[in-house]
Amino acid sequence: MHTTVGIVGGGPAGLLLARLLHNAGVDSVVLESRDRAYVERRQRAGILEQPTVDALRAAGAGARMDREGLVHEGVELRFGGRAHRIDFPALTGGRTVMVYAQTEVVKDLIALQLAGGGPLLFGAEALAVTGADSGTPAVRYRHEGREQTLTCEYVVGCDGFHGVTRTAVPESARTTYERTYPYSWLGILAEAPPVYDELVYAHSERGFALASMRSPTVSRLYLQVENGTDPADWPDARIWDELDARLALRPAPRTEGGRTAVSGRRLERGPVTAKSVLPMRSSVTEPMRYGRLLLAGDAAHIVPPTGAKGLNLAAADVIVLARALAEAYGSGSTAALDAYSDTCLRRVWRAEHFSSFMTTTLHTDPAQSAFETRLQLAQLDRIASSPHAAAELAENYAGLPLAGPPTGPVEAPVDDPWSVPGADPSVRVNQPRTGI
């Protein structure tokens, strides 16, 4: 089989790219190793930035999202027993975010692809990418018990960190920067209506907590736990009790009528339908292009979920890539395609920076001192009291505008003006970087 663009991975990145290419008149084939049922029930992200929402609408995949998604105009930070709301539209010129689960995004894109797009093969396990540094790349894959070959003009890797496309780039031609955090998330899905209108991020002496949602009847909740935690050690009642403790606020001042109002409410408890532990890490592989192989999404970068950037970064990658491929096959210019890696890496490192800030400021490192905890609280107080600091958080959270090709070299940020003083960045370079 032959196509113009071979896409390895049928998650949101690969499916959105296929749809954008289809709309631009560029042929593609999507190879997905799992079956459709598995792909449509994979629990992942649930927050869509404004640029991602706009892209899904433009791609024709926004109708159900607009009907069922929940528009959020801010988030709440809780620390030191008090709460502070970040108003996104007021601080970003009107941008918001959408709560709409990745599972639903994937369902919408699959339906569109099967109804009128290029081939989408489920159960097609990619085995290897060959000829990436030539003009005739190919993907060897196994489908329905037979080994086959997909020849194409470009291969796009949307198959995640452990997929075959990332490792198809020779070690001598790639550099991986990594950071591992000393804690994990215990996440649950519960059939319980959210009691908060927006997401609540809580810093507490007991550790981090996040109250989120998937719908008006389903809550998505997280607790900071030790690395290596077994979910079986956390029965449902213990999880609910700990969430309430970490999300608790101090009593508010007495009102004129003499009654004491307590800010915040206890969570609505309900059956827990899913429970898992998510390790926290950051990773960036550079460059994102090797010959005619281009990496996107988790194949190129991973962020801790605190900043809600994973799915949105993947979407940004394929939006940039779809525009570049459409330009190459439309006008014949490869300028945007040649700049793909540098264009995306500027956004990637900005998102890595923001995600690291959110993670290290809101979580309690098991080894941190009381002094470092006070520094975290000072950071959060700065956001609560400074419109400039609040705007910086809001702009990054709601999604920075998609930029054109960069005019200068791309470098990983070294000095972080938001970092917690005394924190160890723990950045490891796996391979020396060389050119393609």
Side-chain angles (χ1 to χ4, degrees), residues 1-126:
M1 182 164 51
H2 179 81
T3 190
T4 303
V5 180
I7 302 171
V8 182
L15 293 168
L16 179 57
L17 176 60
R19 190 62 193 171
L20 294 172
L21 291 176
H22 173 77
N23 291 348
V26 179
D27 295 334
S28 70
V29 171
V30 180
L31 305 177
E32 167 53 47
S33 63
R34 302 284 192 165
D35 61 45
R36 180 177 179 179
Y38 179 91
V39 173
E40 290 187 339
R41 66 172 181 265
R42 266 189 302 219
Q43 291 296 330
R44 292 292 190 273
I47 304 295
L48 306 182
E49 295 177 355
Q50 187 72 63
T52 304
V53 170
D54 295 341
L56 289 170
R57 288 172 178 156
R64 191 164 70 95
M65 174 187 69
D66 285 331
R67 289 196 309 270
E68 300 178 12
L70 306 174
V71 175
H72 280 202
E73 297 186 345
V75 295
E76 184 178 294
L77 301 179
R78 295 190 174 189
F79 59 96
R82 59 194 178 100
H84 179 79
R85 182 174 182 269
I86 305 296
D87 187 328
F88 291 162
L91 296 165
T92 65
R95 296 204 302 277
T96 61
V97 297
M98 178 84 76
V99 175
Y100 191 62
Q102 177 175 311
T103 50
E104 306 311 308
V105 172
V106 166
K107 289 174 187 175
D108 296 341
L109 290 170
I110 286 175
L112 283 172
Q113 190 72 7
L114 294 179
L120 166 55
L121 305 183
F122 291 104
E125 179 189 4

Side-chain angles (χ1 to χ4, degrees), residues 107-352:
K107 289 174 187 175
D108 296 341
L109 290 170
I110 286 175
L112 283 172
Q113 190 72 7
L114 294 179
L120 166 55
L121 305 183
F122 291 104
E125 179 189 4
L127 304 174
V129 176
T130 60
D133 56 350
S134 72
T136 55
V139 182
R140 287 195 301 106
Y141 67 99
R142 184 181 295 110
H143 185 238
E144 296 180 343
R146 293 192 306 117
E147 189 170 311
Q148 303 179 54
T149 299
L150 173 66
T151 59
C152 39
E153 296 178 27
Y154 291 95
V155 175
V156 180
C158 300
D159 53 343
F161 183 86
H162 298 291
V164 301
T165 60
R166 190 181 71 88
T167 54
V169 180
E171 288 189 2
S172 61
R174 58 180 158 93
T175 301
T176 298
Y177 302 88
E178 293 185 311
R179 177 178 186 176
T180 300
Y181 297 86
Y183 32 71
S184 300
W185 274 11
L186 171 63
I188 65 168
L189 273 175
E191 293 179 358
V195 300
Y196 306 119
D197 295 329
E198 296 171 336
L199 272 66
V200 177
Y201 287 79
H203 173 287
S204 81
E205 294 179 353
R206 305 173 69 96
F208 170 79
L210 171 60
S212 182
M213 63 202 69
R214 284 293 179 266
S215 75
T217 59
V218 176
S219 291
R220 182 68 160 154
L221 303 146
Y222 300 94
L223 286 170
Q224 175 188 339
V225 294
E226 295 180 357
N227 287 340
T229 291
D230 184 348
D233 294 335
W234 282 80
D236 295 358
R238 181 187 178 191
I239 293 173
W240 290 114
D241 289 345
E242 190 64 23
L243 285 164
D244 279 334
R246 297 188 191 185
L247 292 164
L249 297 175
R250 289 197 304 260
R254 290 184 178 276
T255 64
E256 291 183 1
R259 297 178 60 189
T260 300
V262 178
S263 299
R265 291 171 287 172
R266 286 186 176 273
L267 297 169
E268 186 78 26
R269 302 191 178 194
V272 174
T273 58
K275 187 187 304 183
S276 62
V277 170
L278 173 67
M280 308 283 280
R281 67 190 183 102
S282 300
S283 174
V284 180
T285 295
E286 297 186 4
M288 292 173 61
R289 178 181 179 181
Y290 175 74
R292 288 182 173 248
L293 169 62
L294 304 110
L295 304 179
D298 286 0
H301 43 73
I302 293 171
V303 291
T306 326
K309 289 284 160 275
L311 169 58
N312 294 295
L313 265 187
D317 289 346
V318 299
I319 292 167
V320 171
L321 182 53
R323 290 174 181 172
L325 288 166
E327 180 178 305
Y329 286 99
S331 68
S333 172
T334 62
L337 195 55
D338 294 338
Y340 167 72
S341 181
D342 285 349
T343 300
C344 289
L345 282 171
R346 284 184 176 273
R347 189 183 190 89
V348 167
W349 279 113
R350 178 63 257 168
E352 292 282 357

